[in-house]
Amino acid sequence: MATMREVAKKAGVSVATVSRVLNSNGYVNDETRKKVLETMDALKYKPNNVARSLFKKQTKTIGLIVPDITNPFFPQLARAVEDVTNEKGYTIILGNSDEKPEKEQRYLDILEQKYVDGIIMATNTLPIEHIKLLDKPIVVVDRAIHADVPTIVVQNRKGAKAAVNHLKGIGCQRIAHIKGPEHVDNANERCQGYLDIVGTEPWFTPEFVVDGNYTTKESYHAAVKLLRNHPEIDGIFAGNDLMATGVLKAAHELGISIPDELAVIGFDGIDMCETTHPELSTLAQPIYQIGEAAAELLIDLIEKKQISESFKEYPVDLIIRGSTKRT
Amino acid sequence: MATMREVAKKAGVSVATVSRVLNSNGYVNDETRKKVLETMDALKYKPNNVARSLFKKQTKTIGLIVPDITNPFFPQLARAVEDVTNEKGYTIILGNSDEKPEKEQRYLDILEQKYVDGIIMATNTLPIEHIKLLDKPIVVVDRAIHADVPTIVVQNRKGAKAAVNHLKGIGCQRIAHIKGPEHVDNANERCQGYLDIVGTEPWFTPEFVVDGNYTTKESYHAAVKLLRNHPEIDGIFAGNDLMATGVLKAAHELGISIPDELAVIGFDGIDMCETTHPELSTLAQPIYQIGEAAAELLIDLIEKKQISESFKEYPVDLIIRGSTKRT
DNA sequence: TTGAAAGCGGTACCAT
DNA sequence: ATGGTACCGCTTTCAA
């Protein structure tokens, strides 16, 4: 790879001049510029961004840490982040944390050493102090961890209430909840929303809340057990769509018809909702928008622009599909 | 952020010494080392990887370019790549190309300027010369583009044949194919495999091959039309699982029962196969393994290790599930 | 065992 | 309009 010095030498100018034409700032004679440009071409010169970053102290790179890119929620988010940041010349480093604080911390350290310009992170297992130690802009998505940290989330509790109310509205009498992981805030909030609505009903029992760990498989097993023990259950609100598909599977297997015997609703609004049969009702998060908003906020933070609001809570949207559409 | 100079100064040694303890090479007195280590701690010193990269000419970063991370095949692949490379101290930059040559080329340029150590790429729209111009290790996955480029793929044609033979085996008499994008090699190979088996059957007509562009939605529309025009079709081989779910939807909507009236099989083996109802038969690629193999190959290339084989073609695995399980 | 100093490939200030 | 040069933070000879 040719360096600036080589270009300068061959073109018979100084590196300063080459730098000027490269960045088109400062004065440079048209003749000279032309010659330099030609030499760059001839030498197939490409600027070395590492050197540039060293001086400028900015890498035009941002870190994106998600629990697991394999969970369909996150690719959509990542895509939005990439689209927005890429547009502005940034590139993203992707990391999976598996919700493990050590992995998160490790990535944070690495990203810091790589001098990324900012970080977008979906987590809440990490102590807030560690995040504050970072002297880089950071935006947290999906899970609010602290008022001081710029955050993009959705109205989990409100959405959960809407979900359960919808189930009640179509006539469900016994509504159960498949809950996400204990240590994940949004799982607890959604569970809380569920409890807000049915927690005081005479029929309610804590047995109606079972753990599905945000995965299809665990939800499936939990649902089979639940539905066997409690055939009276006629509505299930799953903490996310992945778990809702697990419920669908369980119902199919037990010969329970959906939505008539059992209505099912999820949360998230991932693409998969439309590929199940029946299609899955859900509380759709504006996933792409969240990613966009996070990316835009982060870039504003990086570029030290005026920040209008560093905490955004998006509403979620009740989407009624076959799994809760009774005739 | 503290720099090496600050550490050196505070510890009363030279930067060279600090560098030595940092990289544990060269001689350094135990006393001195201890003092340096302490000062590093006190100053919360973290080495600046940009500076280090500039000198070493390696960034411990690799680029991963996929068509669209939103397509469920790629997160699984990305995850494998991340797991393997991260283990060896690398970090990944993710890029979406949308199968557009300009975007691919743009990313290649950016990655080159960022001095990534190597690139893994799923594409075949890019002219081979452009790839060869790159003086960095590169591994191509999912789509073979040229014998000279290290590649990890699967036996598409063979797998497609197995899929169609399976359909025939369960008694399908009229088998159609939903095809992926024209410009994607593996889509053509799978189509070719289909034609190998049924192309010469007396009933075969080109109308039985329709385009689904590897997406659920387009496949759905194509399938609806196809099944309306040709009610005699009793088996469909879709070029990927996403399109197969589109077929499932179409069949449900048209009141065609699966698998008895219509058997459906996909290709890829993404997780989603198990969440549909009935579950989707498929030719499963060892997606995670492919990612691992690509990552390992790339790292060997980067570290200039002996390469045993630079072209690997994995077999695919016929997984029979409800969508082709006739009683 | 330690330090001085020359880079790595750019940027930007200060002269001219 | 152009050139000389110090410097970004680290690594690695070469001497001492």
Side-chain angles (χ1 to χ4, degrees):
Chain A
M1 292 284 292
T3 72
M4 229 169 89
R5 273 170 177 71
E6 305 182 59
V7 175
K9 196 164 156 195
K10 181 148 188 223
V13 299
S14 76
V15 290
T17 305
V18 178
S19 176
R20 279 186 205 107
V21 344
L22 192 61
N23 302 291
S24 26
N25 60 16
Y27 298 85
V28 39
N29 188 336
D30 276 358
E31 287 295 289
T32 323
R33 173 193 320 284
K34 209 175 138 221
K35 191 168 40 170
V36 170
L37 252 14
E38 276 165 6
T39 346
M40 281 180 171
D41 232 61
L43 261 37
K44 292 189 199 312
Y45 170 76
K46 295 225 185 77
N48 178 333
N49 250 309
V50 177
R52 191 180 286 192
S53 292
L54 178 59
F55 185 91
K56 293 239 200 171
K57 285 162 181 348
Q58 50 139 307
T59 51
K60 283 286 183 178
T61 303
I62 69 160
L64 174 63
I65 305 178
V66 300
D68 184 2
I69 192 68
T70 267
N71 173 336
F73 180 86
F74 294 109
Q76 291 187 45
L77 188 83
R79 184 63 215 245
V81 171
E82 205 243 25
D83 285 350
V84 171
T85 55
N86 203 22
E87 180 67 32
K88 311 219 175 181
Y90 293 83
T91 244
I92 80 176
I93 290 184
L94 176 73
N96 297 104
S97 71
D98 290 319
E99 320 252 16
K100 300 213 184 90
E102 324 85 69
K103 283 191 119 183
E104 291 174 354
Q105 185 60 56
R106 193 166 150 269
Y107 253 116
L108 249 27
D109 289 343
I110 293 179
L111 293 176
E112 203 169 6
Q113 292 182 213
K114 295 222 178 196
Y115 274 70
V116 298
D117 296 338
I119 295 172
I120 295 178
M121 183 164 185
T123 175
N124 61 5
T125 53
L126 204 61
I128 175 70
E129 309 84 50
H130 291 213
I131 290 188
K132 286 197 175 166
L133 273 183
L134 229 54
D135 59 346
K136 271 180 212 323
I138 183 164
V139 171
V140 166
V141 289
D142 194 39
R143 303 146 192 220
I145 50 171
H146 195 283
D148 292 354
V149 182
T151 302
I152 313 280
V153 284
V154 296
Q155 298 173 339
N156 288 299
R157 188 158 172 178
K158 195 167 167 194
K161 289 201 233 180
V164 180
N165 276 331
H166 169 58
L167 291 178
K168 283 180 89 171
I170 60 168
C172 295
Q173 309 276 340
R174 299 289 183 274
I175 301 172
H177 176 55
I178 317 272
K179 187 171 180 292
E182 190 58 51
H183 63 278
V184 177
D185 276 358
N186 55 30
N188 292 323
E189 288 168 19
R190 291 171 199 178
C191 181
Q192 196 53 55
Y194 160 82
L195 293 174
D196 288 346
I197 305 296
V198 303
T200 55
E201 299 268 348
W203 52 260
F204 176 77
T205 138
E207 286 179 38
F208 278 17
V209 178
V210 298
D211 196 11
N213 198 34
Y214 271 169
T215 69
T216 302
K217 188 171 256 173
E218 293 186 50
S219 166
Y220 161 77
H221 291 299
V224 167
K225 210 190 284 181
L226 181 68
L227 291 168
R228 280 222 179 97
N229 293 342
H230 295 282
E232 73 273 23
I233 290 173
D234 57 357
I236 290 186
F237 163 49
N240 73 358
D241 292 332
L242 240 27
M243 297 199 295
T245 66
V247 174
L248 251 37
K249 271 180 78 83
H252 283 139
E253 186 159 315
L254 298 175
I256 299 171
S257 86
I258 293 180
D260 293 329
E261 293 176 82
L262 178 72
V264 179
I265 188 165
F267 199 111
D268 276 356
I270 61 179
D271 292 339
M272 200 185 291
C273 292
E274 292 181 81
T275 73
T276 59
H277 183 75
E279 292 185 7
L280 196 58
S281 294
T282 192
L283 274 108
Q285 301 192 41
I287 307 182
Y288 195 87
Q289 273 183 61
I290 294 173
E292 284 182 314
E296 278 160 10
L297 177 53
L298 183 67
I299 290 182
D300 285 351
L301 251 17
I302 290 173
E303 297 176 352
K304 304 206 187 313
K305 294 219 184 95
Q306 197 70 35
I307 307 302
S308 49
E309 37 177 4
S310 69
F311 182 92
K312 239 187 205 162
E313 200 180 38
Y314 280 90
V316 290
D317 195 14
L318 174 63
I319 311 258
I320 300 170
R321 297 205 184 88
S323 70
T324 63
K325 211 176 276 171
R326 288 184 175 162
T327 43
Chain B
M1 292 282 292
T3 74
M4 228 168 91
R5 268 175 181 67
E6 305 182 62
V7 175
K9 195 163 157 195
K10 181 146 189 228
V13 298
S14 76
V15 290
T17 305
V18 177
S19 175
R20 279 187 204 107
V21 344
L22 191 62
N23 301 291
S24 26
N25 61 16
Y27 297 86
V28 37
N29 188 339
D30 275 0
E31 286 297 288
T32 323
R33 173 193 322 285
K34 207 175 140 221
K35 191 167 43 172
V36 171
L37 252 15
E38 275 165 6
T39 354
M40 280 181 171
D41 232 63
L43 260 37
K44 291 190 202 310
Y45 170 75
K46 294 222 186 80
N48 179 333
N49 251 310
V50 177
R52 190 179 286 192
S53 293
L54 177 59
F55 185 91
K56 293 238 199 173
K57 288 165 181 339
Q58 50 138 305
T59 52
K60 283 287 183 178
T61 305
I62 69 161
L64 174 63
I65 306 179
V66 298
D68 184 3
I69 192 68
T70 266
N71 173 337
F73 180 86
F74 294 109
Q76 291 187 45
L77 188 84
R79 184 63 213 243
V81 171
E82 204 244 24
D83 285 350
V84 171
T85 55
N86 203 22
E87 181 67 33
K88 311 220 175 181
Y90 293 83
T91 243
I92 79 177
I93 291 185
L94 176 74
N96 298 104
S97 71
D98 291 320
E99 320 253 16
K100 301 215 184 89
E102 325 83 68
K103 284 190 119 184
E104 291 174 354
Q105 186 60 56
R106 193 166 151 270
Y107 254 116
L108 249 27
D109 290 344
I110 293 179
L111 292 175
E112 204 169 5
Q113 292 182 212
K114 294 222 177 197
Y115 274 70
V116 297
D117 297 337
I119 296 173
I120 294 178
M121 180 163 188
T123 175
N124 61 4
T125 52
L126 203 60
I128 175 71
E129 309 82 53
H130 290 212
I131 289 187
K132 285 195 174 166
L133 273 183
L134 229 56
D135 58 347
K136 271 181 212 323
I138 182 164
V139 172
V140 166
V141 289
D142 194 39
R143 302 146 192 219
I145 51 172
H146 195 283
D148 292 354
V149 182
T151 302
I152 314 279
V153 284
V154 296
Q155 298 174 340
N156 289 297
R157 188 155 170 182
K158 195 167 167 193
K161 289 201 236 180
V164 180
N165 276 330
H166 169 58
L167 292 179
K168 283 180 88 170
I170 61 168
C172 295
Q173 309 276 342
R174 298 290 183 274
I175 302 171
H177 176 56
I178 317 272
K179 187 172 182 290
E182 190 58 51
H183 64 277
V184 176
D185 275 357
N186 55 30
N188 293 323
E189 289 169 18
R190 292 170 198 176
C191 182
Q192 195 52 55
Y194 159 83
L195 293 174
D196 288 345
I197 305 295
V198 303
T200 55
E201 299 268 350
W203 52 259
F204 176 77
T205 140
E207 286 180 36
F208 279 16
V209 178
V210 299
D211 197 11
N213 198 33
Y214 272 170
T215 68
T216 302
K217 189 172 257 169
E218 294 186 49
S219 166
Y220 161 77
H221 291 300
V224 166
K225 211 191 282 180
L226 181 68
L227 292 168
R228 280 223 180 95
N229 292 343
H230 295 282
E232 72 274 21
I233 290 172
D234 57 357
I236 289 186
F237 163 49
N240 72 0
D241 292 331
L242 241 28
M243 295 197 297
T245 65
V247 174
L248 252 34
K249 271 179 77 82
H252 283 138
E253 185 159 314
L254 298 175
I256 298 171
S257 87
I258 292 181
D260 292 329
E261 292 178 80
L262 179 72
V264 180
I265 188 165
F267 199 112
D268 277 356
I270 60 179
D271 292 339
M272 201 185 290
C273 292
E274 293 181 80
T275 73
T276 59
H277 183 74
E279 293 185 7
L280 195 58
S281 294
T282 192
L283 273 107
Q285 299 193 42
I287 308 182
Y288 195 87
Q289 273 184 61
I290 294 173
E292 284 183 313
E296 278 160 11
L297 177 54
L298 183 67
I299 290 183
D300 285 350
L301 251 18
I302 290 173
E303 298 176 352
K304 303 207 190 311
K305 293 219 185 96
Q306 197 70 36
I307 308 302
S308 49
E309 36 177 4
S310 70
F311 182 90
K312 241 187 203 162
E313 200 182 38
Y314 280 91
V316 290
D317 195 14
L318 173 63
I319 311 258
I320 300 169
R321 297 205 184 87
S323 70
T324 63
K325 210 176 276 172
R326 287 183 176 162
T327 44

